[in-house]
Amino acid sequence: MSALRSEQALAVRRPLALPLIGAGALLAVQIGLLGTRHLLIGDFASALLVAVLLTVGNRSASPAVLAALRALAVVAVLPVLALGLPLGDGSVAAGTFLLAGIVAAIWFAAAPVIGINRAPAFSLRAPLSQFSLLLAGTGLGFLAYLAGAPRGWAPHATTAQIVLDGAALAAIAVAEELIFRWLLQGALQRIARRLGLLIVIALSAAVYVGSGPPSLVIVMAIAAASFSFAVDRSGSALGAILGRIGLVLGAGFGGPLLIGAAGIAVLHFPRWRGWEGTASLAIWLALVTVVAVRGAKGRASKGQAVRWR
Amino acid sequence: MSGLLPQLFQHAVHNRGIASASGTFGVVPVVLCLVLLFGIDIAGMRGHLGERGRMVVIIATPLALVAALTIAARIALLLA
């Protein structure tokens, strides 16, 4: 009873407190458990977070806070789904396509409940800048490859398998952008436009912790900051989606094919993956994040893309 | 190099067979699905079912799908 009262008081006095605690818990699970390969306990912790985020704040919180908590619950359920799929010896491409379809279906069904309009996500606003993100994303993809991103195909894959793997990567990139950049960012920026943007950048970059050297995580954070800023300014997720497709294809396919082993001597892979590369990328990340957060206007304030309930 | 893929890759590396994968990670979606549906049942009895109920259904449905796929994979392994 006292716990309920304190939760109500927290929700009324500080509307950002509950989403901030939820986002902090998500980051802790992602970095502390899943990032350090404590997969099973991380899986259980994510499932617990889903149940908690769907339960808290139901009696007292404002609709915007409830929407933010529900969007965080959607993000928390993603690792549970990714880890729960019975891939094993089966096709990784088929599993990735299936996961992309499931995540896109969740976005499609959850957006109206959270109060987010789906249609403007694909609108062609400022087409030149939206398509220029494809180039920017591809460039960041090459940088991600230099920073330690793995190849996008298995060693003995045929051409057809490589094409299928690339298509699966692109499909899941679209689904993830819709969840992180459209659903979560839209919900969080209603209650705090700048802090909301920062949380989205942190959460989408934290997914890569443990999957490569720190320089790779920083490149992904730079990409997240750029895409979040683009969505915030344009009121459309199309540019971010194109940029993300360029990023994953550049990192997994463009980099290995065009730079490949020949580039090792010229481009100094070890330096990019060592402390020099990490430090210079961290400075770049700081600059991009400051520009993105300071320039955030919040789509909700303009009434462009987010429908208030 | 997409966000969910690190987990997929880790999953594939750590669990080489469908049987071991479904035996460990497959149980979590089932438990979460049951907890969510149990919660929605209680909320329904108390008359608090609204948008939260819709949200629970949206999240529980893919979990149930994943659980069903896991069970189907195990049955296929048994029959193979």
Side-chain angles (χ1 to χ4, degrees):
Chain A
M1 195 65 186
S2 62
L4 181 66
R5 271 197 211 126
S6 61
E7 183 202 313
Q8 284 176 342
L10 199 65
V12 171
R13 267 190 247 145
R14 293 187 182 143
L16 196 59
L18 286 176
L20 207 55
I21 292 168
L26 259 176
L27 272 176
V29 169
Q30 193 64 55
I31 296 170
L33 296 175
L34 294 171
T36 53
R37 307 205 173 196
H38 292 95
L39 295 182
L40 191 57
I41 190 155
D43 199 13
F44 269 107
S46 301
L48 186 68
L49 264 178
V50 174
V52 170
L53 287 167
L54 286 176
T55 311
V56 293
N58 267 322
R59 290 163 187 270
S60 49
S62 71
V65 171
L66 278 178
L69 291 170
R70 286 168 185 157
L72 286 168
V74 169
V75 173
V77 86
L78 298 182
V80 180
L81 294 169
L83 289 167
L85 278 172
L87 292 170
D89 300 324
S91 158
V92 173
T96 309
F97 268 124
L98 182 64
L99 187 64
I102 290 174
V103 174
I106 293 176
W107 171 79
F108 188 83
V113 181
I114 292 171
I116 304 285
N117 256 347
R118 290 180 300 233
F122 302 102
S123 64
L124 194 65
R125 290 187 180 130
L128 198 62
S129 65
Q130 301 238 33
F131 281 101
S132 67
L133 275 172
L134 180 64
L135 283 178
T138 310
L140 281 169
F142 282 101
L143 194 59
Y145 175 65
L146 290 174
R151 269 190 332 188
W153 68 90
H156 304 293
T158 60
T159 311
Q161 282 171 331
I162 292 174
V163 171
L164 202 64
D165 284 347
L169 268 173
I172 202 150
V174 174
E176 279 183 20
E177 282 306 300
L178 289 173
I179 293 288
F180 279 102
R181 232 60 65 190
W182 196 249
L183 198 75
L184 183 65
Q185 188 173 325
L188 286 177
Q189 281 200 293
R190 279 179 190 166
I191 39 180
R193 62 190 171 108
R194 286 178 173 166
L195 191 58
L197 196 77
L198 206 57
I199 292 171
V200 174
I201 294 168
L203 278 174
S204 47
V207 178
Y208 295 94
V209 173
S211 62
S215 51
L216 175 64
V217 181
I218 296 176
V219 172
M220 291 306 179
I222 293 170
S226 313
F227 298 155
S228 290
F229 183 58
V231 171
D232 179 77
R233 300 298 289 186
S234 67
S236 162
L238 191 62
I241 288 170
L242 291 173
R244 184 62 175 269
I245 290 172
L247 173 71
V248 296
L249 296 184
F253 298 89
L257 290 172
L258 296 179
I259 300 173
I264 289 175
V266 183
L267 293 161
H268 301 291
F269 279 73
R271 283 194 193 168
W272 277 105
R273 294 170 192 185
W275 70 269
E276 302 118 304
T278 308
S280 38
L281 288 168
I283 293 168
W284 186 7
L285 172 64
L287 286 173
V288 173
T289 308
V290 166
V291 169
V293 171
R294 281 183 65 86
K297 59 183 183 180
R299 282 175 291 135
S301 62
K302 295 280 180 190
Q304 285 178 329
V306 179
R307 175 167 53 86
W308 286 77
R309 292 177 76 90
Chain B
M1 196 54 218
S2 190
L4 287 171
L5 287 187
Q7 275 139 30
L8 287 173
F9 284 139
Q10 286 172 7
H11 183 47
V13 169
H14 283 257
N15 302 279
R16 292 186 181 170
I18 291 172
S20 61
S22 59
T24 50
F25 296 101
V27 79
V28 181
V30 178
V31 172
L32 180 58
C33 190
L34 289 175
V35 166
L36 291 178
L37 292 177
F38 188 63
I40 202 175
D41 199 33
I42 292 173
M45 281 191 287
R46 289 179 183 169
H48 295 149
L49 207 64
E51 289 200 335
R52 184 189 159 222
R54 284 176 64 196
M55 200 64 212
V56 168
V57 170
I58 288 166
I59 288 185
T61 307
L63 289 169
L65 177 69
V66 166
L69 280 170
T70 303
I71 292 164
R74 287 197 78 120
I75 291 171
L77 269 183
L78 274 173
L79 295 176

